């Protein structure tokens, strides 16, 4: 796992811009703390920061292969889990390898197949290849958008990076937020695909971008395929088990210490059990990590999103698989540390999810002291229909994003925005346009029943939009501390198969995630198999809300009014006066967003161009 950056200019001599590419690359230092490298030619400059995971000695980047008619150079972030299989195919075609790294496999795959290498990869990746033979840059992003990749077109080429901050380190890109960027910044949770920064946007998942002197072209190499599902119940369960088993096996390959994130829910427990089985077969013990808050038992109140405490269930799984288990206990007071808050906002490049981001950052920091790679159960709820919205009649019938149809609706950062800004942003129209775009690529089966069509649309939205919010959060918080987090439930083979399972079969036992539950029934304790879906834990301590309110009062009393260009001062004054003991949970989340925004203004000093 790494961070990449680069610059292509067809009119400049970039050999005179080594300081600039060094500066761009340095912004990715925390993503790649182990090594740094650049490769510069007249028209191209590539930068790479490395987190060493596979072939610690031989996988240095940028990696270059000299060809008779020009060099082919690559910077690459991520993992190709099927690199061993691809290597054998390439060796059979005459390629001779210098290293044992997946990086060289991907690069030689491009030399052999061109940008058709994208279709052959199984993994999480964001890569940039300069092909001197055609004077072109090729950018490729993985199918699900697990690894981030941004670009900024220029008058004579392009800037790119794993994160916007790499692009903003170049003088051609300024920290400007225009009306479009404002809409992306204020958009409700799960409305994804853009960035706050003017002219900086994501390479879409499953996409190849090619930049030549004549301009930029885009090719979609993958989208969710609609296919008939002909397997019966038993075959479906067995297939899911086989696919997930194979996925976990491939994702356990690493030359560094590895662990599993274990919440005690069905998803992470399934990954833990399969990882434990694979590792035990080679004489190793799985490491597992869980999170708790020091105040949670005393102050916990269940709600629709978080129904119960995780620790007893995680302990049941750890005992069953005999893992080397560590419970990471977080202090809510620590989440108000100014340095921590700014580190989290800097990792996100925008105001984020406050406490939820800060606690994840702390968890990953603790895990990084024990492991360099961790497997996660992320994305199973989007894939198997675990969220409560899948089972709510109003959400299912919604003509927009289903997670916005009912409370609790994750629409942070909207009610607190100044009314004039809200009016100019016109978020309702923006969200409606994003929904229309999201469903424009959706295909149905000719004979699909109305209920199955509704649920296919719902699954499509969760797998192409909602999931990206959480994948980006996971990537930013983990890579900010140099931890690689892998997500087996995003394996495209598994996603394609489960997406096409009819809803009646996905819930055949009358519960959420029936297929996954039955696929793992002989591997998990009964307590976990019967447990209801429960979300990521957070602090319930009123003292934490009070601390947020104190910070809000400091922002109100401060000399810097930049934040109030967007935030309604009257709203914040009222929020700071509320009784923390009786305040709704959403209040602390909204104050957190304002505080993130304040830190964001301090760190990036953005210029607002909203007219």
């Amino acid at each position: 796992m790494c961070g990449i950056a680069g610059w292509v200019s067809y009119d400049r001599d970039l050999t005179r811009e080594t300081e600039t590419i060094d500066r761009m690359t340095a912004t990715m230092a925390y993503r790649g703390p182990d090594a740094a490298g650049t490769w510069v030619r007249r028209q191209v400059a590539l930068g790479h920061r490395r987190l060493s995971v596979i072939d610690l000695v031989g996988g240095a980047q940028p990696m270059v292969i000299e060809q008779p008619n020009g060099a082919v150079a690559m910077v690459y972030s991520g993992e190709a889990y099927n690199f061993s299989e691809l290597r054998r195919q390439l060796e059979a075609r005459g390629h001779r390898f210098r290293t044992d790294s997946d990086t060289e496999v991907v690069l030689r795959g491009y030399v052999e197949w061109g940008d058709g290498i994208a279709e052959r990869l199984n993994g999480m990746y964001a890569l940039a290849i300069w092909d001197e033979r055609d004077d072109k840059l090729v950018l490729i992003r993985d199918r699900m958008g697990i690894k981030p990749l941004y670009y900024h077109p220029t008058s004579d080429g392009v800037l790119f990076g794993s994160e916007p901050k790499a692009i903003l380190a170049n003088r051609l890109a300024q920290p400007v937020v225009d009306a479009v960027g404002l809409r992306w910044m204020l958009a409700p949770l799960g409305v994804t695909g853009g960035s706050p920064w003017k002219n900086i946007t994501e390479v879409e998942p499953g996409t190849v971008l090619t930049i030549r002197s004549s301009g930029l072209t885009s090719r979609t190499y993958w989208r969710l395929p609609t296919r008939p599902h002909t397997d019966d119940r038993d075959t479906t369960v067995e297939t899911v088990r086989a696919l997930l088993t194979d996925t976990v096996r491939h994702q356990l390959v690493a030359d560094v210490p590895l662990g599993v994130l274990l919440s005690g829910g069905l998803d992470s427990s399934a990954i833990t059990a399969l990882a434990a089985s694979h590792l035990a077969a080679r004489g190793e013990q799985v490491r597992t990590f869980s999170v708790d808050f020091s105040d949670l038992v005393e102050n916990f109140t269940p709600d629709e999103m978080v129904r119960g405490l995780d620790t007893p269930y995680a302990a049941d799984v750890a005992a069953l698989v005999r893992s080397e288990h560590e419970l990471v206990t977080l202090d809510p007071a620590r989440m108000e540390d100014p340095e921590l808050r700014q580190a989290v906002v800097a990792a996100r490049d925008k105001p984020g999810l406050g406490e939820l981001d800060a606690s994840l950052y702390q968890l990953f920091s603790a895990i990084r002291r024990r492991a360099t790679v961790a497997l996660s159960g992320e994305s199973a709820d989007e894939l198997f229909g675990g969220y409560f919205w899948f089972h709510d009649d109003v959400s299912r019938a919604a003509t927009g994003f289903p997670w916005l149809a009912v409370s609790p609706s994750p629409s942070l950062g909207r009610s607190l925005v100044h009314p004039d800004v809200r009016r100019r942003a016109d978020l309702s129209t923006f969200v409606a346009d994003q929904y229309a775009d999201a469903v424009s690529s959706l295909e149905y089966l000719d004979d699909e029943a109305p209920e199955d069509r509704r649920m296919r649309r719902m699954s499509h939205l969760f797998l192409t939009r909602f999931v990206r919010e959480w994948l980006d959060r996971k990537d930013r918080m983990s890579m900010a501390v140099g931890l690689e987090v892998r997500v087996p439930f995003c394996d495209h083979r598994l996603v394609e198969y489960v997406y096409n399972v009819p809803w009646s079969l996905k819930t055949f036992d009358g519960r959420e995630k029936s297929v996954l539950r039955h696929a793992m029934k002989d591997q998990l304790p009964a307590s976990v198999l019967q447990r209801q879906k429960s979300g990521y834990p957070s602090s319930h301590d009123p003292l934490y809300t009070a601390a947020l309110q104190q910070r809000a009062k400091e922002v109100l009393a401060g000399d810097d009014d930049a934040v109030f260009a967007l935030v309604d001062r009257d709203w914040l004054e009222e929020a700071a006066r509320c009784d923390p003991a009786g305040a709704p949970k959403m209040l602390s989340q909204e104050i957190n967003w304002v505080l993130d925004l304040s830190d964001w203004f301090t760190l990036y000093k953005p210029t607002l161009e909203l007219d």
Side-chain angles (χ1 to χ4, degrees):
M1 196 68 68
C2 309
I4 66 174
W7 184 5
V8 169
S9 174
Y10 290 100
D11 295 340
R12 292 177 172 82
D13 180 358
L14 295 188
T15 61
R16 300 177 180 178
E17 297 283 358
T18 55
E19 289 186 6
T20 302
I21 192 61
D22 287 346
R23 188 165 59 249
M24 294 172 69
T25 305
T27 65
M28 299 290 95
Y30 56 76
R31 294 185 72 93
D34 296 329
T38 59
W39 187 79
V40 182
R41 295 295 184 269
R42 184 179 181 85
Q43 294 179 324
V44 62
L46 304 178
H48 185 265
R49 292 290 313 205
R50 187 183 186 202
L51 175 65
S52 302
V53 172
I54 293 175
D55 190 3
L56 307 189
V57 176
Q61 299 184 49
M63 187 172 282
V64 183
I65 295 177
E66 296 290 345
Q67 295 288 286
N69 50 350
V72 182
M74 182 177 77
V75 286
Y76 161 64
S77 170
E79 305 291 347
Y81 300 126
N82 63 334
F83 78 97
S84 295
E85 295 92 325
L86 290 175
R87 180 178 178 128
R88 288 192 293 271
Q89 294 175 28
L90 290 165
E91 286 174 333
R93 290 171 173 262
H95 289 263
R96 297 295 175 260
F97 287 82
R98 303 189 304 263
T99 74
D100 295 324
S101 68
D102 63 328
T103 303
E104 187 178 2
V105 171
V106 175
L107 181 54
R108 290 191 179 275
Y110 173 82
V111 170
E112 181 66 32
W113 298 302
D115 67 23
I117 183 62
E119 283 89 344
R120 296 173 181 264
L121 292 174
N122 179 339
M124 55 179 187
Y125 44 86
L127 59 95
I129 297 174
W130 174 254
D131 191 337
E132 200 170 54
R133 300 169 300 180
D134 295 318
D135 287 338
K136 67 181 180 182
L137 179 76
V138 177
L139 300 176
I140 304 176
R141 191 177 182 197
D142 67 66
R143 295 169 179 84
M144 295 292 289
I146 305 168
K147 301 312 298 174
L149 182 57
Y150 292 82
Y151 70 101
H152 178 290
T154 65
S155 61
D156 68 332
V158 72
L159 307 172
F160 68 87
S162 293
E163 299 176 6
K165 63 175 62 66
I167 296 170
L168 291 170
N170 189 300
R171 65 183 179 277
L172 298 183
Q174 297 299 314
V176 173
V177 177
D178 60 6
V180 174
L182 177 69
R183 293 183 183 105
W184 281 117
M185 191 167 72
L186 299 182
L189 206 64
V191 181
T192 56
S195 97
W197 307 107
K198 184 178 182 179
N199 296 329
I200 297 178
T201 190
E202 293 186 47
V203 176
E204 284 293 302
T207 298
V208 177
L209 288 186
T210 303
I211 295 90
R212 297 181 174 87
S213 59
S214 58
L216 182 152
T217 58
S218 175
R219 176 174 76 86
T220 299
Y221 71 88
W222 184 87
R223 57 170 52 96
L224 273 176
T226 297
R227 301 169 181 154
H229 185 82
T230 58
D231 292 344
D232 61 18
R233 178 193 297 180
D234 290 344
T235 304
T236 300
V237 169
E238 291 167 5
T239 302
V240 166
R241 171 68 172 266
L243 284 169
L244 191 56
T245 298
D246 184 66
T247 297
V248 171
R249 176 178 65 84
H250 275 85
Q251 296 196 20
L252 288 172
V253 175
D255 295 330
V256 291
L258 179 147
V260 180
L261 305 174
L262 174 60
S263 70
L266 176 62
D267 315 332
S268 65
S269 299
I271 302 301
T272 298
L274 293 173
S277 178
H278 285 303
L279 292 174
R282 61 195 202 204
E284 300 177 33
Q285 182 184 22
V286 68
R287 295 184 183 92
T288 52
F289 301 92
S290 299
V291 66
D292 196 10
F293 288 84
S294 58
D295 69 301
L296 202 53
V297 173
E298 180 182 353
N299 296 299
F300 179 74
T301 302
D303 56 32
E304 285 281 356
M305 302 300 288
V306 184
R307 297 175 183 272
L309 302 175
D310 285 344
T311 48
Y313 301 96
D316 286 349
V317 176
L320 181 65
V321 304
R322 299 182 179 180
S323 69
E324 180 185 329
H325 187 61
E326 180 175 339
L327 177 63
V328 179
T329 302
L330 304 181
D331 179 0
R334 166 83 174 102
M335 290 187 293
E336 266 310 296
D337 178 83
E339 289 187 10
L340 172 64
R341 292 194 67 102
Q342 289 204 355
V344 169
V345 172
R348 278 281 215 166
D349 284 316
K350 65 179 182 180
L353 298 177
E355 170 199 349
L356 295 179
D357 288 348
S359 62
L360 195 64
Y361 181 98
Q362 287 182 275
L363 171 63
F364 288 155
S365 296
I367 293 173
R368 184 61 176 89
R369 293 192 285 271
R370 302 282 188 272
T372 308
V373 174
L375 272 63
S376 164
E378 191 80 59
S379 307
D381 287 308
E382 290 86 349
L383 183 57
F384 289 95
Y387 291 119
F388 90 93
W389 296 293
F390 281 94
H391 309 274
D392 174 77
D393 290 341
V394 174
S395 300
R396 286 153 63 116
T399 56
F401 291 111
W403 53 89
L404 302 181
V406 297
S407 180
S409 170
S411 54
L412 304 184
R414 298 182 70 188
S415 61
L416 50 82
V417 174
H418 193 282
D420 289 344
V421 176
R422 270 207 309 274
R423 191 161 44 251
R424 276 189 288 175
D426 190 11
L427 285 180
S428 296
T429 299
F430 177 72
V431 171
D433 289 344
Q434 292 306 310
Y435 173 78
D437 181 66
V439 298
S440 64
S441 61
L442 174 58
E443 296 178 347
Y444 300 102
L445 298 174
D446 291 340
D447 58 350
E448 207 157 20
E451 177 65 7
D452 285 329
R453 289 172 68 92
R454 269 195 302 273
M455 299 314 296
R456 181 180 292 280
R457 183 181 68 234
M458 199 168 190
S459 294
H460 185 275
L461 291 168
F462 273 92
L463 288 168
T464 61
R465 291 300 190 274
F466 195 75
V467 74
R468 288 167 63 178
E469 185 83 50
W470 304 108
L471 290 173
D472 184 71
R473 169 179 175 254
K474 184 85 72 180
D475 175 86
R476 299 299 190 95
M477 294 303 101
S478 61
M479 294 309 297
V481 299
L483 176 71
E484 174 177 303
V485 175
R486 300 175 178 178
V487 278
F489 285 110
C490 283
D491 182 286
H492 73 276
R493 300 167 302 161
L494 181 65
V495 170
E496 290 175 5
Y497 184 80
V498 176
Y499 172 64
N500 286 291
V501 174
W503 183 248
S504 58
L505 185 50
K506 284 181 181 175
T507 55
F508 66 79
D509 65 357
R511 295 195 55 191
E512 79 284 358
K513 296 189 280 195
S514 306
V515 174
L516 179 60
R517 181 175 291 102
H518 282 259
M520 298 302 301
K521 66 181 180 181
D522 63 338
Q523 295 279 310
L524 299 176
S527 60
V528 171
L529 290 170
Q530 298 306 316
R531 187 186 183 193
Q532 280 188 301
K533 159 70 183 171
S534 187
Y536 182 78
S538 59
S539 173
H540 287 242
D541 189 348
L543 293 179
Y544 174 69
T545 302
L548 292 176
Q549 290 175 302
Q550 180 57 41
R551 281 285 314 278
K553 291 174 183 176
E554 293 169 7
V555 171
L556 286 162
D559 296 329
D560 187 357
D561 287 336
V563 69
F564 296 109
L566 299 179
V567 171
D568 185 345
R569 180 184 284 272
D570 291 340
W571 180 94
L572 189 60
E573 288 176 346
E574 183 178 348
R577 289 194 299 267
C578 285
D579 178 6
K585 183 66 178 174
M586 185 62 76
L587 180 69
S588 66
Q589 293 173 340
E590 290 178 326
I591 295 176
N592 255 315
W593 193 89
V594 175
L595 299 180
D596 277 2
L597 183 68
S598 177
D599 287 333
W600 178 73
F601 271 106
T602 299
L603 289 167
Y604 289 90
K605 299 178 173 55
T607 299
L608 302 181
E609 295 181 356
L610 306 182
D611 295 325

